[in-house]
Amino acid sequence: MENTVTITDNRTEKQYTLPITNDTVKAMDLRKIKVNPDDFGMMSYDPAFTNTASCKSQITFIDGDKGILRYRGYDIADLAAFCTFPQVAYLVIHGELPTPEQESAWLTELRAHMYVFENIKKFMEGFRHDAHPMGMLVSTMAALSTFYPDAKDVRNPETQMHSIHRIIGKIPIIAAYGYRHSKGLDYIPPEPKMGYAENFLNMIWARSPMEHLRNPVLARALDVLFILHIDHEQNCSTNAMRAVGSSEADPFLSTAAAAAGLAGPLHGGANEAVLKMLGEIGSKENIPEFIKGVKEGKQKLMGFGHRVYKNYDPRAKQIKKTAEEVFTITGRSKKIDLAMELERIALTDDYFVSRKLYPNVDYYSGIIYEAMGLEPKMFTVLFAIPRAVGWLAQWHELINDPEQKIARPRQVYVGHEQRKLPDSYTHAAR
Ligand code: ACO
């Protein structure tokens, strides 16, 4: 069998044979297809990149039809059951799980970066009390770029790793300080000896810097949630990370851009939207009316549907399990029963079944965060902390990929032909 595809251009009756690699044709090969020799040549048109591979990647594998998600070849369920977040972060960044020595060096490196300068704290104090924590995270991440000008040396392998350690070390601190700021509370300094998730919870919950709050069940639940959110191949925010990173902007700026992409309600902002939706539905009796509204196009069932998964999101399955563990500590949330009933009804309704709409990662995560005492506006920030690891792994892959260049899509121009300025404008200039 020959690995080629032959296209007949019916305009000219010419045939073109294009090589197939990894089940793809190179979009640039389409350029050979022309009517006249001086034509630009054919392009592919793919708004929202629904069928365009923008890179080769070794990080994350998804089979959306079967509901499979793997990081570096390992199944997400195994990683969530047997590993810690820092171990999986190491795996995603470096490609292999750490040996005990590598893990110890990795933790030492991350702990060394668990601080922010006083000016960063002052910068954050400038936000209004009701500033959205995602806005604070995006801006403060961008501000960090000004503290680390060496990060602009993006082609230097040592600098690349240094930036990766800095961002993974600092992002939970910025996230926690944003939360404390919005509550009018003092900042709690990081306690690097605590676990990564445990330290984050302490920075959120502690009443004074002297207090060290430990809750192993909740810390492990957050650790698992962090693992599940690390990477998800070429989604909106990762695409932003790669697009901005391709201009050789430093990784702090690229991470800020990626976080901005995550903030929208169609992406990471959906977990916040799910809680709002459940609040509006209120009780089980109102579910049929709500579903009717969804089917009439009045609103979406937030936390349902996915560009890639046409099956149950494997992360949602894990999160549902984690929720039960959290409720043993926090007490059962009424919202989980409402969410489960909403899921049950939706999954027996032809509207959702025929469109293959299933719960995604955001459907249950917010319910856990809320049970832990976190407010909906923090939910997307909780997504951004672990996702920074995925963004950085993708950025690292991009920056070291000889096939990559500055990202610059084409367009199909459908505007005016050339036209003259109106006389009223040219007269005024005279
Ligand atoms: N509720 C109701 N209908 C939906 C939903 C939903 N949540 N999602 C998709 N549909 C419908 C669409 O209206 C469309 O119907 P049609 O064929 O009659 O026009 C059909 O299902 C296909 O949907 P698309 O919008 O074409 O799917 P797309 O891949 O573009 O969108 C997305 C995926 C954005 C996730 C969408 O499902 C959605 O908006 N979901 C709700 C928001 C959400 O939960 N986002 C989080 C995603 S996970 C993440 O980013 C971490």
Side-chain angles (χ1 to χ4, degrees):
M1 189 173 63
E2 205 183 334
N3 262 337
T4 58
V5 62
T6 300
I7 298 174
T8 305
D9 185 345
N10 294 324
R11 298 170 302 178
T12 57
E13 289 179 0
K14 269 198 216 159
Q15 285 203 328
Y16 300 85
T17 298
L18 311 182
I20 301 174
T21 319
N22 300 319
D23 282 338
T24 62
V25 289
K26 283 199 171 148
M28 276 304 277
D29 284 345
L30 298 175
R31 282 273 189 92
K32 295 173 198 155
I33 304 176
K34 305 179 173 192
V35 175
N36 302 305
D38 54 352
D39 283 352
F40 184 78
M42 188 173 276
M43 296 189 293
S44 60
Y45 176 60
D46 189 9
F49 306 136
T50 52
N51 197 36
T52 295
S54 63
C55 62
K56 289 180 189 155
S57 181
Q58 301 184 358
I59 301 169
T60 291
F61 172 80
I62 301 176
D63 184 327
D65 291 329
K66 296 193 183 126
I68 295 173
L69 170 61
R70 296 184 197 129
Y71 299 155
R72 303 280 188 184
Y74 295 108
D75 213 80
I76 192 71
D78 291 340
L79 293 170
F82 300 109
C83 301
T84 64
F85 170 73
Q87 288 169 340
V88 184
Y90 183 98
L91 166 75
V92 170
I93 297 285
H94 291 283
E96 295 297 337
L97 284 162
T99 61
E101 295 73 32
Q102 286 167 332
E103 185 180 352
S104 162
W106 172 245
L107 291 175
T108 306
E109 199 62 64
L110 297 185
R111 282 174 187 145
H113 294 290
M114 284 198 176
Y115 71 93
V116 290
F117 287 114
E118 287 302 308
N119 310 47
I120 282 289
K121 291 186 196 164
K122 288 197 187 123
F123 177 86
M124 296 192 81
E125 273 154 27
F127 289 110
R128 279 176 56 128
H129 70 281
D130 57 353
H132 195 285
M134 272 310 275
M136 288 196 253
L137 179 77
V138 169
S139 335
T140 312
M141 185 55 71
L144 278 182
S145 150
T146 66
F147 288 76
Y148 302 109
D150 57 310
K152 299 199 182 311
D153 188 9
V154 293
R155 296 274 162 211
N156 179 334
E158 258 179 55
T159 314
Q160 290 168 6
M161 271 304 149
H162 205 171
S163 297
I164 289 173
H165 296 148
R166 276 174 171 154
I167 294 172
I168 301 175
K170 292 181 199 310
I171 194 167
I173 304 173
I174 302 172
Y177 286 5
Y179 175 80
R180 308 248 354 156
H181 177 80
S182 66
K183 293 273 174 197
L185 297 168
D186 284 346
Y187 301 138
I188 299 294
E191 183 43 76
K193 284 195 187 125
M194 287 180 137
Y196 193 88
E198 189 179 43
N199 173 45
F200 174 74
L201 288 175
N202 185 56
M203 287 190 287
I204 292 276
W205 286 335
R207 278 160 298 184
S208 83
M210 308 307 290
E211 198 170 38
H212 291 147
L213 293 176
R214 288 192 158 89
N215 186 316
V217 175
L218 297 187
R220 176 60 191 154
L222 189 61
D223 204 60
V224 169
L225 284 164
F226 279 178
I227 291 172
L228 299 174
H229 283 87
I230 288 180
D231 194 56
H232 213 234
E233 53 121 301
Q234 307 313 311
N235 51 77
C236 173
S237 55
T238 303
N239 184 54
M241 182 85 191
R242 281 183 172 261
V244 175
S246 76
S247 77
E248 300 195 358
D250 73 55
F252 293 95
L253 294 174
S254 303
T255 302
L262 188 74
L266 297 189
H267 190 13
N271 51 15
E272 186 178 341
V274 169
L275 264 275
K276 189 165 170 273
M277 173 188 78
L278 292 174
E280 282 163 7
I281 297 173
S283 64
K284 289 182 188 175
E285 307 83 79
N286 300 330
I287 293 177
E289 190 58 28
F290 174 79
I291 294 277
K292 190 167 162 267
V294 171
K295 286 157 61 172
E296 287 166 2
K298 288 188 192 148
Q299 70 254 336
K300 276 187 170 173
L301 173 45
M302 297 310 285
F304 258 64
H306 199 275
R307 172 61 56 77
V308 179
Y309 292 120
K310 301 301 166 199
N311 199 326
Y312 214 99
D313 182 333
R315 300 167 298 175
K317 264 189 210 160
Q318 296 295 320
I319 289 176
K320 230 168 147 182
K321 261 197 234 163
T322 306
E324 296 300 339
E325 285 156 26
V326 167
F327 297 150
T328 61
I329 303 288
T330 62
R332 197 170 174 80
S333 142
K334 280 191 190 137
K335 290 211 174 110
I336 188 95
D337 294 328
L338 184 60
M340 284 168 82
E341 182 61 4
L342 182 56
E343 176 193 330
R344 190 190 66 74
I345 294 179
L347 294 184
T348 51
D349 191 304
D350 188 56
Y351 176 93
F352 298 92
V353 175
S354 62
R355 289 170 178 77
K356 298 187 177 170
L357 301 172
Y358 291 88
N360 59 47
V361 69
D362 290 318
Y363 191 65
Y364 287 107
S365 61
I367 298 173
I368 305 185
Y369 297 143
E370 194 180 58
M372 286 178 170
L374 295 156
E375 286 173 21
K377 64 181 188 177
M378 268 305 278
F379 296 173
T380 314
V381 172
L382 287 154
F383 191 155
I385 296 171
R387 182 53 62 86
V389 172
W391 293 331
L392 290 162
Q394 299 271 351
W395 169 79
H396 191 243
E397 193 174 64
L398 162 101
I399 218 84
N400 294 296
D401 180 348
E403 286 188 354
Q404 290 290 343
K405 307 175 177 207
I406 186 165
R408 203 314 186 174
R410 293 279 173 175
Q411 66 166 12
V412 178
Y413 179 71
V414 293
H416 289 282
E417 293 293 328
Q418 187 180 17
R419 48 186 182 153
K420 287 212 161 107
L421 276 173
D423 285 350
S424 56
Y425 277 77
T426 49
H427 284 163
R430 263 183 229 141

